Amino acid sequence: EDQVTQSPEALRLQEGESSSLNCSYTVSGLRGLFWYRQDPGKGPEFLFTLYSAGEEKEKERLKATLTKKESFLHITAPKPEDSATYLCAGLRSNDYKLSFGAGTTVTVRA
Amino acid sequence: DVKVTQSSRYLVKRTGEKVFLECVQDMDHENMFWYRQDPGLGLRLIYFSYDVKMKEKGDIPEGYSVSREKKERFSLILESASTNQTSMYLCASSSFAQGGNEQFFGPGTRLTVL
């Protein structure tokens, strides 16, 4: 059975304190690994897609990396506006369905 | 700009009522999805559709049905709402033909069943 596990569940950071979020996955025939950002009461907003081990993508203070078993979302020198829930999801190649993790809620204090 | 809209942001219904949640996308995407999101459980797929008039069951289809009469519109139907269907409902769309696999989400409908 496909499984996507995110850790930690919650992360409290001081502004400027860099950290990493983990997403470990067992998804049959993984076609891609996706990261989304979700603000309270809103739908998820697409951030990155990673397709192969070793791939990295960056956007402002966020960098996503992928290995054969897990993905990391690194937040460098975070600001309060980076506070959100970050979701990762694996896309299966046989039916193109996404399996989501439960998310990591990041709170950045000024 | 990519846009997925949902008919209501908040909805309150009574047990046993028939509930319709509407989703419209303006990106000419062929794929559309309905999820529900509950604390600690993440997003779970209810139904999806790869084309007009096509529908496939997701992981938790019980108590739900869908309709896709037009490419841009995907409706989720709760035939007889129950309290355990209180949740945040999210619609998404994607396109293989347009080269990307990412799903784009609407703002969500928070449904409360009393």
Side-chain angles (χ1 to χ4, degrees), chain A residues 15-31:
Chain A
E15 185 171 5
E17 178 190 359
S18 301
S19 189
S20 295
L21 284 55
N22 177 266
C23 171
S24 63
Y25 62 90
T26 51
V27 176
S28 58
L30 184 80
R31 184 174 178 86

Side-chain angles (χ1 to χ4, degrees), chain A residues 7-76:
Chain A
S7 62
E9 288 185 19
L11 192 58
R12 293 176 66 86
L13 300 171
Q14 200 67 35
E15 185 171 5
E17 178 190 359
S18 301
S19 189
S20 295
L21 284 55
N22 177 266
C23 171
S24 63
Y25 62 90
T26 51
V27 176
S28 58
L30 184 80
R31 184 174 178 86
L33 192 291
F34 296 78
W35 282 97
Y36 286 84
R37 170 194 170 121
Q38 187 175 25
D39 293 304
K42 296 188 177 180
E45 175 189 342
F46 170 73
L47 290 173
F48 304 110
T49 310
L50 301 165
Y51 288 107
S52 56
E55 190 175 357
E56 298 183 353
K57 295 235 175 119
E58 284 189 68
K59 182 179 180 179
E60 295 181 359
R61 294 175 293 283
L62 301 177
K63 184 167 83 171
T65 62
L66 182 66
T67 72
K68 287 187 177 178
K69 292 186 177 180
E70 50 192 358
S71 178
F72 295 92
L73 185 66
H74 308 278
I75 310 179
T76 302

Side-chain angles (χ1 to χ4, degrees), chain B residues 11-86:
Chain B
L11 211 51
V12 179
K13 295 293 181 181
R14 297 218 173 264
T15 302
E17 279 192 81
K18 191 168 186 175
V19 182
F20 293 87
L21 303 182
E22 301 283 336
C23 175
V24 177
Q25 51 93 6
D26 65 359
M27 299 161 283
D28 200 35
H29 284 176
E30 64 270 21
N31 310 318
M32 295 188 75
F33 307 83
W34 274 107
Y35 294 88
R36 63 177 283 176
Q37 185 176 30
D38 301 287
L41 296 178
L43 276 77
R44 293 179 290 167
L45 183 63
I46 304 171
Y47 266 96
F48 59 105
S49 168
Y50 289 142
D51 202 349
V52 176
K53 302 220 185 264
M54 285 183 62
K55 59 184 178 185
E56 299 282 345
K57 291 181 180 179
D59 300 319
I60 51 164
E62 297 77 21
Y64 304 94
S65 63
V66 290
S67 171
R68 191 159 181 209
E69 296 296 319
K70 294 185 177 181
K71 187 176 186 179
E72 68 271 17
R73 189 179 298 269
F74 194 33
S75 303
L76 181 69
I77 302 154
L78 287 66
E79 295 290 342
S80 177
S82 63
T83 54
N84 62 13
Q85 293 178 310
T86 291

Side-chain angles (χ1 to χ4, degrees), chain B residues 90-107:
Chain B
L90 291 159
C91 174
S93 72
S94 72
S95 173
F96 307 138
Q98 295 180 20
N101 294 308
E102 57 268 23
Q103 294 180 17
F104 296 93
F105 284 83

